[in-house]
Amino acid sequence: QVQLVESGGGLVQAGGSLRLSCAASARTFSNYVMGWFRQAPGEEREVVAAIGWIVGSTYYADSVKGRFTISRDNYKNSLYLQMRTLEPEDTAVYYCAARLSPDAGTYSVHPHEYDHWGQGTQVTVSS
């Protein structure tokens, strides 16, 4: 069973930055495709960014393009989300997700495609 633990959330003013981290217990982390999702109160969970294990396989939601950067460090079994120029609309609980995919290294963007989820970390952006 893969365990995912997010950290780095918090309260920040609009225009500020945060860096989220996700530590994974997976033995073969390099064979996982990973994603960051978020869910605001009363809203459905939505993809923010996703990354495969093929170099260059990344996806960003239109709302975060140019502001957020997803990355992974396979040696540290870690996933990151650098968030810049944060907006109040970015306020949500952010979740890390993982799916074992040794045969297909491209990203996935739908929540149902992921098998493992973290507990979430709250990001609040004040105006």
Side-chain angles (χ1 to χ4, degrees), residues 8 11-19 67 82-86:
L11 173 64
V12 64
Q13 288 188 332
S17 299
L18 284 174
R19 187 189 191 217
R67 301 189 297 122
Q82 178 68 53
M83 306 186 293
R84 297 182 176 88
T85 321
L86 283 160

Side-chain angles (χ1 to χ4, degrees), residues 73-108:
D73 186 333
N74 291 337
Y75 293 103
K76 295 183 178 179
N77 279 21
S78 293
L79 177 73
Y80 305 100
L81 184 69
Q82 178 68 53
M83 306 186 293
R84 297 182 176 88
T85 321
L86 283 160
E87 304 169 352
E89 293 75 20
D90 296 317
T91 295
V93 177
Y94 283 70
Y95 297 92
C96 170
R99 177 173 67 87
L100 180 62
S101 182
D103 298 325
T106 56
Y107 58 77
S108 297

Side-chain angles (χ1 to χ4, degrees), residues 9-18 20 36-41 43 46-49 61-69 81-95 121-127:
L11 173 64
V12 64
Q13 288 188 332
S17 299
L18 284 174
L20 304 184
W36 285 102
F37 291 77
R38 68 187 181 187
Q39 188 167 18
E43 302 289 334
E46 63 176 3
V47 64
V48 175
D62 288 343
S63 59
V64 306
K65 279 182 182 176
R67 301 189 297 122
F68 291 10
T69 303
L81 184 69
Q82 178 68 53
M83 306 186 293
R84 297 182 176 88
T85 321
L86 283 160
E87 304 169 352
E89 293 75 20
D90 296 317
T91 295
V93 177
Y94 283 70
Y95 297 92
T121 186
Q122 177 70 46
V123 171
T124 303
V125 184
S126 63
S127 57

